[in-house]
Amino acid sequence: MGNVHFVRSTQVGADEVLHVDGLSVWENCAVLFRRIEAICGEGASSVFAEPNVKPQGSGGLVVAWFGGYDDDPKPLDALDRAMNARVEADLSSRLAALRPALADADIGETVAAMINIYDASAIMAVGEHAILTNWGVLPRGVVASQAGFARHSEATIGPYLKSGVSPAVPGQSWRITGGMEAVGASPPSQPRAPAAAPAPMQTVVVERTGGVRLLPPLLLSAIFASALAYVAWPGSLIYERNVPPDQAAQAGWDKIRDDLAKRASAFETALSKPACEAKDAWVEASLGIPAPAAAAAPDAAQKSQQAAEDAAKKPAGDGK
């Protein structure tokens, strides 16, 4: 896996990069990465981004960092809680895998120096993988004392270290354990007094009395008694008086019902007749009265009108 994917760029001082036997930990890092993988297994060196260094004036260095994962690099504080937990677990696992390299006589001191990071922002997330930038670098003043080194390590790489994995300053025996305490040159801690045995737990037993056991029956009796008192109280329950129906009103409703039944029957009869006869039957059913008599035949009316016209035209003297 080649380190060809850009992660980020940084600026550090040339004197802040750690050196082992006069050589910067960044020199020939490709060879160092291959040696780490030969000892710890394939991919063990992928936790370190590869630096591309360009000197600047006044002893400064501009560093472009490249990794082997093709994904968007992000700082840890830009991740949500679930992703952050996965990336931190990945970092802890990858650092723990470096134990064989830390124990190697040839590169152990160099790998311990590589685990140092400049600050907490040096840890980047590329997908779900953790990758270190600005590794092998310590700010000026941190290497002046073991206490300063311990404080810096606790605040940066320490929370991700497991037993047997610790950064180191070349030429010093300083080590940290999980970023929580410095060991080595520090005086041994005083033995702690054994903790006092806790007092035996006492069990408190609360006995129920007869009054408590009788509470449900008494409560039910009170409820039933209240219900009976309410029913027996005068005026609490009022029943409607049984009033006999009005015979005259009932007879009127019966007449209306019979009339509607007759009209409905007449409608059914009208619908069953031919169209020319259905009209009179429909009128009779709707109005409840017989249909008007049919008009005189058209030819008889015309004959009567013609006779009247002829009489009017006849001369008056014709009657003699």
Side-chain angles (χ1 to χ4, degrees):
M1 180 175 63
N3 295 319
V4 296
H5 301 286
F6 178 75
V7 179
R8 66 181 294 214
S9 61
T10 60
Q11 292 183 355
V12 297
D15 58 344
E16 294 177 319
V17 182
L18 299 178
H19 290 65
V20 177
D21 296 333
L23 294 177
S24 164
V25 294
W26 292 350
E27 286 192 49
N28 298 323
C29 64
V31 176
L32 183 60
F33 287 168
R34 288 196 295 269
R35 177 62 177 162
I36 291 174
E37 300 210 355
I39 298 173
C40 302
E42 184 178 357
S45 68
S46 61
V47 69
F48 301 104
E50 185 172 343
N52 187 336
V53 185
K54 291 185 178 181
Q56 274 192 331
S58 304
L61 301 174
V62 176
V63 189
W65 298 92
F66 293 85
Y69 301 106
D70 185 12
D71 210 329
D72 293 332
K74 297 178 182 179
L76 292 185
D77 56 8
L79 306 177
D80 58 41
R81 183 179 300 178
M83 179 64 75
N84 190 291
R86 290 195 290 270
V87 172
E88 289 183 345
D90 178 76
L91 176 58
S92 181
S93 175
R94 288 175 178 275
L95 292 174
L98 297 175
R99 288 193 185 99
L102 290 168
D104 185 77
D106 294 331
I107 65 171
E109 185 178 10
T110 302
V111 175
M114 293 168 64
I115 297 177
N116 291 288
I117 57 177
Y118 191 82
D119 53 22
S121 67
I123 305 172
M124 298 291 292
V126 183
E128 295 188 1
H129 302 286
I131 190 167
L132 297 179
T133 63
N134 267 8
W135 52 264
V137 186
L138 288 175
R140 299 179 183 92
V142 169
V143 298
S145 67
Q146 180 182 351
F149 168 73
R151 285 193 299 269
H152 177 81
S153 299
E154 290 168 6
T156 54
I157 198 67
Y160 311 103
L161 300 179
K162 295 182 179 180
S163 176
V165 182
S166 173
V169 176
Q172 301 289 350
S173 61
W174 303 339
R175 298 290 186 274
I176 66 169
T177 302
M180 299 305 297
E181 61 177 343
V183 296
S186 58
S189 57
Q190 297 295 328
R192 296 181 180 179
M201 183 179 295
Q202 296 180 355
T203 304
V204 179
V205 180
V206 179
E207 297 183 357
R208 295 182 178 179
T209 63
V212 174
R213 288 195 296 269
L214 291 176
L215 180 59
L218 290 176
L219 182 59
L220 291 175
S221 299
I223 293 174
F224 283 121
S226 300
L228 291 174
Y230 173 76
V231 172
W233 193 267
S236 59
L237 297 178
I238 300 175
Y239 297 94
E240 185 177 356
R241 187 175 57 181
N242 188 12
V243 180
D246 188 351
Q247 297 298 329
Q250 184 65 36
W253 285 113
D254 292 341
K255 183 178 181 303
I256 293 173
R257 184 180 64 250
D258 295 341
D259 182 62
L260 291 176
K262 291 178 181 179
R263 293 195 181 194
S265 178
F267 280 127
E268 292 179 359
T269 303
L271 290 174
S272 63
K273 291 182 177 183
C276 58
E277 300 177 8
K279 179 179 178 182
D280 296 339
W282 186 271
V283 172
E284 182 177 353
S286 300
L287 302 178
I289 58 176
D299 54 350
Q302 290 178 359
K303 290 179 180 180
S304 299
Q305 183 177 358
Q306 186 64 36
E309 290 179 357
D310 293 341
K313 292 178 180 180
K314 187 178 181 181
D318 291 345
K320 292 181 180 181

